[in-house]
Amino acid sequence: MFVVGTAGHVDHGKSTLIQALTGRHPDRLAEERDREMSIVLGFDTLQLPSGKELGIVDVPGHRDFIENMLSGIGGIDAAIFVIAADEGVMPQTREHLAILDLLEVENGVIALSKIDVVEDNEWLDLVELDIRETCLGTVLADAPIVRVSGKNETGMEELLAALDQVLADRLPRPDLGRPRISVDRAFTVSGFGTVVTGTLLDGSLHLGQEIVLLPRGIPGRVRGLQTHNQDVDSVTPGRRTAVNISGIDVQQISRGDVLTVPGKYSTSCRLDVQFRLLPDVIKPLEHNVNAKLFLGADEVFSRVRLLGTEILSPGTSGFLQLETEEPVVAARGDHYILRRPSPSETIGGGIVLDPQPEFRYKRFDQQVTARLSALTSGDPVDILREVIQQEGAIFWKTLMKRSNLKRGTAQESLEELIASGFALQVETPGNSDPLISQKEYWKNLRIKMIGVIRDHHQEQPLRMGMPRAQLKSQSQLPVEVFETVLHSLLLDHELEQQGPLIKTPEHQIQFSEEQERDRDRLLTAFNQQPYSPPIRAEGIEMVGEEMLEALITLKELVPVSEDVLFSREVYDDMIQQVEQLLQEKETVTVAEIRDHFGSSRRYILAFLEHLDARGLTVREGDVRRLR
């Protein structure tokens, strides 16, 4: 199924023509019928002679309603460009043509309407010549012209045949697995609830599917689907679709909201775009001006930042960074239109190059303009290269989303970048989504992380390693990227992990001569009173906290509680003696163990609770037995 939109000057017969084609008038508001003028979008369907199904979007032509027109024209595959035979090319004719050209609607038929009011064939020939001159250099330069009368229903067969012809080689929209509908209507149907309509792009929808309404992130579920006024179980890309939603109230929906599935799109208040300023605008485009952005069915005010130039002259192209007042949803390659709010005029448009740039650029950064130029070229390899280069490291699913390429094309392009030595693919621990990185960037990430650990060893020679959580914080990397880099270093034995600590393989705690003397003095104190040794605070007072922790790390001292420690030799001996006592007596009390070692309750109670925690003993009332 394809979607066709009308375009043309007000009162040139667009709606009448649609009625002649379908048998139904698209104007649905009483005010529209009273004024005989389309105000909002109208929708209908028809079937071409070849059997192709068409969804039709009828747009208003009056200058006052040009922005309503923009909300419906963005998702069309072809245009029926209507020009009245009695008036010829008019102001909104030119503006609608400019919009079709900016949106790159390459398929179209020009309907020379109202031929019933013109009797002079020479006049019709002159109007056609004028139309050809007007369309020169635009997407409709070679479009067929069909003479029609909606009132008399003449030329309808020829118009349908022409539509069939221009759509003959049009491929169906690809299913990229990322469905989205830019909502152009939302209403309530009694007994069903909330319904939204729009053209489905980039993926399929099916009954029962979880959805989310962006930019506010409101969750819901697909309750029903219609296309061509027929209930269906699923809808493929490119179809005019009505979605019955559960979980979302109609008051929560605005025109331009995007219905999608969770996790596929993100919102942004910044877009990098390629832009073409129309040749007949009132004045050049200057930096930092306000403009209305039309993206899909969305309309939002934005601030225009010129990149690489001080001013953009009429008829020229350049790069912009748009900063929107409200979040928008976009994908690379989406078309958009800019309109000046006062005096109101369409000034230009283009395509989205990066839907989520991380920061505001310096205006005259040559690297930025070079990157945007590569993205403009549309070469899949260049597109992937630029996205990877900007991010340094990016997960495959995110890279697919940012590049907006088909999976097969993206995979082939990635393989080419890997073969050339530019990029590499790294498997991620516990995740099926591999990390794609620029090779040099990945190398530097690894070197930097090893350097952080080595610096820590130098600064803290008495510690076996750096806590993993501290390394993560100091790396300043996203969690998933940090885990992937560390995992690769551990696999390659560039780093080692001991419990929660990360170290280099060669690192060992080494004491200075003075520290060795302190160590001997402390261990002597432990050996002199093996079962009632110095508590932690006393040990810290004798050698310092770092030295004490180093001896614990080296397992020369064993903590059994927050305060109580034993030397390793004594600790092992005490465990052996307790096991022997329990084998002989089956149960023992704290007092019996205390008396056996000639210690105090403070030490023995901490030791026995430690054995309970290790699972060597179990407490039963006032006694303990072997587990």
Side-chain angles (χ1 to χ4, degrees):
M1 177 180 178
F2 297 105
V3 179
V4 174
T6 63
H9 191 76
V10 63
D11 200 31
H12 274 207
K14 296 185 293 297
S15 299
T16 304
L17 184 61
I18 297 305
Q19 183 177 25
L21 287 170
T22 66
R24 296 172 297 274
H25 201 287
D27 288 348
R28 52 192 171 85
L29 300 181
E31 183 182 358
E32 292 179 307
R33 293 189 293 270
D34 292 342
R35 296 172 62 176
E36 296 184 348
M37 177 193 300
S38 295
I39 298 173
V40 297
L41 302 175
F43 303 97
D44 216 316
T45 60
L46 61 81
Q47 190 173 57
L48 295 177
S50 64
K52 289 189 179 75
E53 294 177 312
L54 292 186
I56 299 177
V57 181
D58 182 41
V59 303
H62 195 280
R63 186 176 187 86
D64 292 345
F65 308 117
I66 192 74
E67 294 176 357
N68 285 344
M69 175 265 189
L70 284 168
S71 71
I73 204 70
I76 66 172
D77 299 294
I80 302 175
F81 194 46
V82 183
I83 303 173
D86 57 338
E87 291 188 341
V89 175
M90 297 293 284
Q92 265 61 65
T93 307
R94 298 182 185 278
E95 186 165 15
H96 282 212
L97 177 60
I99 290 168
L100 292 173
D101 198 48
L102 291 169
L103 296 177
E104 297 183 336
V105 181
E106 297 177 353
N107 301 296
V109 175
I110 299 171
L112 183 58
S113 65
K114 297 189 177 183
I115 59 170
D116 56 289
V117 299
V118 177
E119 297 180 357
D120 188 348
N121 283 330
E122 290 186 6
W123 172 261
L124 294 178
D125 293 340
L126 289 173
V127 173
E128 285 196 12
L129 285 174
D130 188 32
I131 292 171
R132 287 296 180 205
E133 289 181 5
T134 302
C135 292
L136 278 176
T138 73
V139 290
L140 296 184
D142 298 321
I145 299 176
V146 180
R147 299 180 180 184
V148 297
S149 168
K151 182 178 179 181
N152 295 340
E153 299 186 5
T154 56
M156 297 301 107
E157 291 183 4
E158 292 82 355
L159 180 58
L160 291 174
L163 282 171
D164 235 344
Q165 182 62 39
V166 299
L167 290 170
D169 298 325
R170 175 80 179 186
L171 295 174
R173 290 183 183 259
D175 190 336
L176 303 177
R178 305 195 307 271
R180 55 176 170 145
I181 292 176
S182 187
V183 176
D184 49 41
R185 282 196 300 171
F187 49 90
T188 301
V189 176
S190 178
F192 291 92
T194 303
V195 175
V196 300
T197 68
T199 301
L200 178 62
L201 304 175
D202 294 347
S204 302
L205 287 177
H206 56 80
L207 291 179
Q209 192 168 14
E210 291 185 3
I211 57 96
V212 62
L213 193 70
L214 298 176
R216 283 166 290 175
I218 307 172
R221 187 177 295 274
V222 177
R223 182 181 178 185
L225 290 168
Q226 268 197 5
T227 183
H228 269 216
N229 299 316
Q230 298 293 318
D231 292 333
V232 293
D233 293 334
S234 62
V235 185
T236 53
R239 290 179 173 266
R240 285 291 308 174
T241 304
V243 187
N244 180 203
I245 306 170
S246 62
I248 303 178
D249 192 85
V250 71
Q251 280 78 24
Q252 296 176 284
I253 305 173
S254 300
R255 189 176 75 180
D257 285 350
V258 173
L259 183 150
T260 181
V261 295
K264 296 300 183 182
Y265 293 92
S266 300
T267 61
S268 175
C269 287
R270 185 178 287 129
L271 302 173
D272 291 346
V273 301
Q274 177 271 340
F275 177 75
R276 175 159 60 94
L277 186 64
L278 293 175
D280 55 353
V281 293
I282 297 173
K283 57 183 179 180
L285 183 64
E286 299 176 347
H287 175 66
N288 233 21
V289 300
N290 289 322
K292 278 187 179 180
L293 167 67
F294 294 85
L295 184 69
D298 201 6
E299 171 187 344
V300 61
F301 277 99
S302 65
R303 182 170 295 278
V304 177
R305 302 189 69 246
L306 282 176
L307 301 178
T309 184
E310 288 288 355
I311 196 168
L312 204 60
S313 300
T316 61
S317 299
F319 299 117
L320 311 178
Q321 191 169 63
L322 303 177
E323 296 182 332
T324 60
E325 290 186 357
E326 299 174 12
V328 296
V329 179
R332 195 199 68 79
D334 282 355
H335 289 80
Y336 71 94
I337 297 293
L338 286 185
R339 280 178 61 81
R340 202 188 308 271
S342 181
S344 179
E345 67 167 340
T346 301
I347 60 173
I351 60 171
V352 175
L353 301 177
D354 188 343
Q356 289 183 308
E358 294 184 8
F359 48 83
R360 175 185 285 193
Y361 303 129
K362 293 180 180 179
R363 290 185 56 208
F364 296 94
D365 188 331
Q366 292 184 352
Q367 289 185 339
V368 170
T369 52
R371 170 180 167 269
L372 296 179
S373 294
L375 290 175
T376 304
S377 71
D379 180 86
V381 174
D382 288 340
I383 290 169
L384 277 194
R385 180 187 289 110
E386 290 303 322
V387 176
I388 294 169
Q389 186 163 339
Q390 183 189 29
E391 297 295 328
I394 183 171
F395 286 95
W396 172 244
K397 291 179 182 177
T398 307
L399 178 60
M400 287 279 293
K401 186 189 300 185
R402 291 284 300 276
S403 64
N404 202 29
L405 297 173
K406 295 180 182 178
R407 179 176 294 275
T409 302
Q411 187 64 55
E412 290 175 4
S413 301
L414 177 61
E415 289 170 1
E416 184 174 333
L417 290 174
I418 291 173
S420 70
F422 173 81
L424 50 80
Q425 179 172 310
V426 186
E427 298 306 316
T428 53
N431 191 342
S432 60
D433 191 12
L435 185 70
I436 313 301
S437 179
Q438 186 181 359
K439 195 170 185 178
E440 193 66 24
Y441 178 82
W442 178 255
K443 177 183 175 182
N444 291 335
L445 277 184
R446 287 167 53 97
I447 292 172
K448 181 179 178 181
M449 191 169 290
I450 294 171
V452 169
I453 296 298
R454 286 183 174 154
D455 289 345
H456 184 269
H457 290 333
Q458 188 171 358
E459 295 167 5
Q460 305 288 345
L462 296 183
R463 297 186 181 179
M464 184 58 75
M466 174 183 278
R468 186 184 183 116
Q470 182 181 345
L471 177 61
K472 181 170 67 176
S473 174
Q474 199 163 328
S475 73
Q476 297 182 331
L477 292 171
V479 174
E480 297 85 355
V481 176
F482 165 79
E483 294 292 347
T484 305
V485 176
L486 179 58
H487 180 71
S488 75
L489 290 171
L490 294 175
L491 281 179
D492 294 342
H493 305 292
E494 297 282 350
L495 294 177
E496 291 180 354
Q497 182 164 348
Q498 292 187 3
L501 301 178
I502 307 296
K503 62 183 284 292
T504 59
E506 68 275 7
H507 175 68
Q508 296 295 331
I509 294 176
Q510 294 183 344
F511 300 132
S512 65
E513 291 184 6
E514 182 180 352
Q515 289 168 338
E516 284 285 2
R517 288 193 294 270
D518 289 341
R519 168 182 172 273
D520 293 342
R521 182 162 55 89
L522 180 65
L523 293 180
T524 298
F526 269 77
N527 291 330
Q528 288 174 346
Q529 297 177 295
Y531 305 119
S532 304
I535 62 173
R536 181 183 288 270
E538 293 169 339
I540 291 174
E541 187 175 347
M542 292 177 66
V543 299
E545 186 173 6
E546 282 194 348
M547 184 71 181
L548 185 70
E549 292 297 331
L551 292 172
I552 292 172
T553 301
L554 293 170
K555 299 182 179 179
E556 295 188 23
L557 296 178
V558 181
V560 298
S561 73
E562 189 175 340
D563 294 324
V564 177
L565 308 93
F566 294 100
S567 70
R568 165 57 65 181
E569 184 178 353
V570 170
Y571 172 80
D572 291 341
D573 180 61
M574 289 177 72
I575 289 178
Q576 186 176 359
Q577 291 190 51
V578 168
E579 287 179 336
Q580 186 175 348
L581 280 171
L582 287 172
Q583 288 170 356
E584 294 172 355
K585 301 183 63 176
E586 290 192 6
T587 63
V588 292
T589 63
V590 174
E592 288 174 323
I593 298 294
R594 179 198 63 197
D595 294 343
H596 176 82
F597 288 112
S599 183
S600 68
R601 182 178 178 83
R602 175 182 191 178
Y603 290 95
I604 298 305
L605 186 59
F607 179 69
L608 290 176
E609 289 177 347
H610 170 75
L611 296 187
D612 294 341
R614 280 191 56 182
L616 296 177
T617 58
V618 60
R619 179 179 176 180
E620 295 178 353
D622 293 332
V623 300
R624 281 173 170 79
R625 66 171 68 249
L626 287 175
R627 185 179 292 275

